[in-house]
Amino acid sequence: MTVIDAEPSAAPADGAALRVVVVNGSPSRPSKTMGLVDVVLDTLKGMLPIETSRIDVYRLGAGFTGAIERDDVPPDVESALRLAEDAGLLIAAAPVFRGSYPGMFKHFFDLVDQYALAGKPVLLAATGGGDHHALVLEHAMRPLFGFFQALTVPVAIFASAGDFDGTVLLNPRVYGRVQTGLTDVADLLRARATRAAGAHPPHSNN
């Protein structure tokens, strides 16, 4: 089953809200991975209007896990794939398993169109047991999105188990890294939201 949680924020009158889609690679609910993503989203909301959706890859069902090619997926999985492909900002978030991202996370992107993410901003986020797991961001996740010719945000975000109380992020250094990473690309994201709003203007009743 596809799990997509939509959380629209208040958009300005011109409708220039950034469409943010989170691809969540964690099998746990709740999870430290989504605890980290929540901090990213809360920080981003303070910079510009956003509309958020989440795709939980571990809850996409047998039609997803059994699909070998895009033509094999059922309609709900196709909708999830298109949601990710049409995002203004994609947040790719996953826990580290055995030195890399989970297989279900990779399987989702195996089904994404090869050129759908070209030039699209992608923020990389990961969680792991210790700081050495942060290597997954640069040695596994960034190359994956390099294949798609995506525009990965230069600052990737990692938090280890010791940075949390349960699933609540506590480490101020991680908060600072989130702030830095998003500030670096805030102008780019605003521009993309404005262009998207211009391409799809709201309907008028006048």
Side-chain angles (χ1 to χ4, degrees):
M1 177 180 178
T2 301
V3 179
I4 301 174
D5 298 331
E7 300 177 355
S9 64
D14 62 5
L18 181 71
R19 292 196 298 173
V20 181
V21 177
V22 178
V23 177
N24 172 29
S26 175
S28 302
R29 296 187 73 180
S31 70
K32 292 179 175 64
T33 299
M34 281 308 303
L36 176 59
V37 170
D38 286 343
V39 171
V40 173
L41 293 175
D42 287 344
T43 303
L44 189 57
K45 287 176 185 177
M47 298 180 176
L48 69 160
I50 62 174
E51 297 176 354
T52 65
S53 302
R54 188 179 82 230
I55 302 167
D56 293 329
V57 299
Y58 274 86
R59 288 164 178 81
L60 291 175
F64 166 68
T65 58
I68 298 175
E69 297 181 356
R70 181 70 171 258
D71 291 343
D72 299 332
V73 303
D76 60 334
V77 177
E78 176 66 25
S79 295
L81 292 165
R82 288 188 179 274
L83 184 68
E85 293 170 346
D86 293 341
L89 169 67
L90 190 67
I91 298 177
V96 179
F97 287 145
R98 307 282 177 159
S100 188
Y101 40 66
M104 295 282 273
F105 177 85
K106 175 60 162 59
H107 184 55
F108 182 85
F109 288 101
D110 285 342
L111 297 172
V112 167
D113 182 86
Q114 180 176 347
Y115 302 107
L117 305 184
K120 185 183 299 297
V122 177
L123 187 144
L124 308 176
T127 56
D131 290 343
H132 59 289
H133 287 131
L135 292 171
V136 74
L137 291 165
E138 303 301 331
H139 292 273
M141 294 180 75
R142 202 177 296 276
L144 171 63
F145 291 97
F147 166 80
F148 285 106
Q149 303 176 58
L151 182 64
T152 52
V153 174
V155 176
I157 313 299
F158 177 82
S160 66
D163 296 327
F164 294 87
D165 179 5
T167 61
V168 178
L169 182 66
L170 298 180
N171 192 330
R173 287 179 295 177
V174 181
Y175 276 86
R177 189 167 178 83
V178 170
Q179 182 74 39
T180 298
L182 292 175
T183 299
D184 286 347
V185 295
D187 289 343
L188 169 66
L189 298 178
R190 289 190 194 96
R192 290 184 68 92
T194 300
R195 285 200 302 270
H200 303 284
H203 295 291
S204 173
N205 293 326
N206 295 335

